[in-house]
Amino acid sequence: MKIFSPAISRLARLRLWQIEEWVNDPIAAQREVLQELVTSAQYTAFGRQYGFNHLFNIRTFKQTVPVHEYEDLKPYIDRMMGGEDHVLWNTPIRWFAKSSGTTSDKSKFIPVSEESLEENHFQGAKDVLTMYYGYNPDSDLLSGKGLVIGGSHQVSQVSEEINYGDLSAVLLQNSPFWGSWIRTPELSIALMDEWESKIEQLALATIPENVTSISGVPTWTLVLMKRILEMTGKSSISEIWPNLELYMHGGVSFVPYRDQFRKIIGKDIHFLEMYNASEGFFAAQDSPDSDGMLLFTRHGIFYEFMPIEEYGKKFPHTVGLGKVETGKNYAVIISTSGGLWRYIIGDTIQFTTIAPYRVKVSGRLKHYINAFGEEVIVDNSDKAVAAAAEKTGAAVIDYTAAPVYFSDEGNGAHEWLIEFEKEPADLSLFAYELDSALKNLNSDYEAKRHKDIALRMPVIHAVRKGLFNEWLRFKGKLGGQHKVPRLSNDRSIIENILSMA
């Protein structure tokens, strides 16, 4: 298949001019996307309810259609899952991406239309490949196979026509036939939902392959790679897959994992971050050195950005691309070709650059600690954990944190549960470095830590290996995109995990 690489590289360069078109004029691209969405959905039940045939500009659209969370759209989605057409979108919806979220036990079922598959998910994946070949024209990526560490749910049926599964299962089931030529493992293994057995089968199936790329959540990718080294007796992944050149990741920050990946792979490869969720494929790095991910503005999604202080209002103030600022936290609101209208996806992002528009995920609307006015977000905690690990020679697998509130015993603090791959020699020094890093990253935290008046030093517990996975298994969330919430104002999660320690 190596002969295909030069041809693919030429095709990628041809596609680049189309990408440059919406990169150079993203605001016009967004206007066109919204016009197409509203026009397509004007005769749906939702479109009739909100008079889509009279919505001629962005301002009127925002004034007419309220912002929705999942519970607001659930009655429409229930009708669609019952087989009713033309509810939120004008073409039949036969697939739903099941997402349990991060903290909720309730499943969400995100409608996936043919248009959202083709215009968004699949086109986004093609553009990632195009951009990769753009800055790496001599790549041999397609001379081998891509290892996909994906879903944790088998595809299930609501009825003869209606199906659901997690996003990767939906994408795999709807991908073109030739996808199996460039992907490993086979579908029966890729869709296994029992993760201990799945890791074994993934390892056995992929060790003999010529793997040139890997995509998956960092935690489970590390678990798989470590198991492969155990099974083969090799000291690095590059000994098993010498042509490996790319790791694509998303879902959680890669900052705490980068050094572990470099060590276990054993050679320099490209790392590429993608922002792909059940609701849509939003962004990806357009070059390895870019600060943030290029926002996809011509892929069937219209974006609005809500300052987080507006959260909870029915008609919150939102801004478009023309008025966003770098370094400010926004909640992402989307309208899509799958029938999500002014839908809050729950992530918070920051723009890292304006020309072009690049973003990074800074956290979740409900995943932060602000018990004392410190406003610590996941982006802060990920960087602080990475800095503390570097300073103390530690390696972190995962963590979660929550506030300790004022009591007769003392003032407030942040309590951390950290699962280490390699524990620091001095846990108190790790706590000091973590605290120092948070002070440098977050002035509100620094102010609250002044003389221990509001916040004292962090309280850190090094928990045994495997505890977080035990908790996820107990919650029925082991594997795939499920993860331990990094930050929460609610102590129930950290106390529940501690009870299992």
Side-chain angles (χ1 to χ4, degrees), residues 400-414:
T400 189
V404 176
Y405 290 96
F406 288 108
S407 68
D408 294 338
E409 285 72 42
N411 57 359
H414 290 174

Side-chain angles (χ1 to χ4, degrees), residues 53 81 148 151 188 196 207 476:
N53 58 325
M81 295 188 75
V148 180
S188 62
E196 283 87 348
I207 287 171

Side-chain angles (χ1 to χ4, degrees), residues 263-431:
K263 183 178 179 181
I264 198 169
I265 290 170
K267 71 170 188 176
D268 288 334
I269 68 168
H270 296 287
F271 297 118
L272 192 154
E273 185 176 9
M274 299 187 299
Y275 187 9
N276 193 10
S278 298
E279 297 87 354
F281 200 150
F282 305 129
Q285 276 183 289
D286 54 320
S287 77
D289 301 321
S290 62
D291 180 19
M293 296 170 283
L294 182 69
L295 189 69
F296 292 166
T297 56
R298 198 66 180 87
H299 295 69
I301 296 178
F302 176 74
Y303 300 95
E304 299 172 57
F305 304 96
M306 178 182 73
I308 56 176
E309 59 269 20
E310 294 286 310
Y311 181 56
K313 300 177 182 179
K314 187 173 183 180
F315 286 93
H317 172 66
T318 67
V319 296
L321 287 176
K323 294 185 178 180
V324 296
E325 303 172 25
T326 57
K328 184 173 182 176
N329 278 308
Y330 295 100
V332 183
I333 297 175
I334 58 173
S335 298
T336 77
S337 55
L340 299 177
W341 297 103
R342 302 202 77 203
Y343 180 80
I344 301 177
I345 62 175
D347 291 334
T348 60
I349 60 98
Q350 293 178 359
F351 283 87
T352 59
T353 64
I354 296 298
Y357 288 101
R358 295 193 183 104
V359 300
K360 67 176 181 179
V361 180
S362 56
R364 298 277 295 174
L365 266 175
K366 299 177 182 178
H367 291 186
Y368 57 88
I369 299 179
N370 192 30
F372 310 99
E374 66 274 47
E375 296 188 13
V376 173
I377 60 176
V378 173
D379 184 62
N380 300 153
S381 61
D382 280 340
K383 289 177 178 176
V385 167
E390 183 180 0
K391 292 284 183 65
T392 60
V396 173
I397 297 173
D398 212 341
Y399 71 88
T400 189
V404 176
Y405 290 96
F406 288 108
S407 68
D408 294 338
E409 285 72 42
N411 57 359
H414 290 174
E415 187 171 18
W416 297 70
L417 306 187
I418 302 180
E419 184 177 338
F420 290 97
E421 175 66 28
K422 177 186 176 185
E423 288 196 23
D426 185 346
L427 195 61
S428 62
L429 177 60
F430 185 94

Side-chain angles (χ1 to χ4, degrees), residues 29-51:
Q30 280 285 276
R31 281 198 300 265
E32 291 172 13
V33 167
L34 182 61
Q35 183 177 17
E36 291 168 3
L37 292 174
V38 170
T39 300
S40 297
Q42 63 182 316
Y43 298 118
T44 62
F46 190 91
R48 292 179 187 276
Q49 178 180 350
Y50 289 102

Side-chain angles (χ1 to χ4, degrees), residues 215-229:
S215 59
V217 175
T219 46
W220 284 104
T221 304
L222 281 172
V223 169
L224 174 63
M225 291 195 294
K226 288 173 184 177
R227 181 60 184 139
I228 286 174
L229 293 183

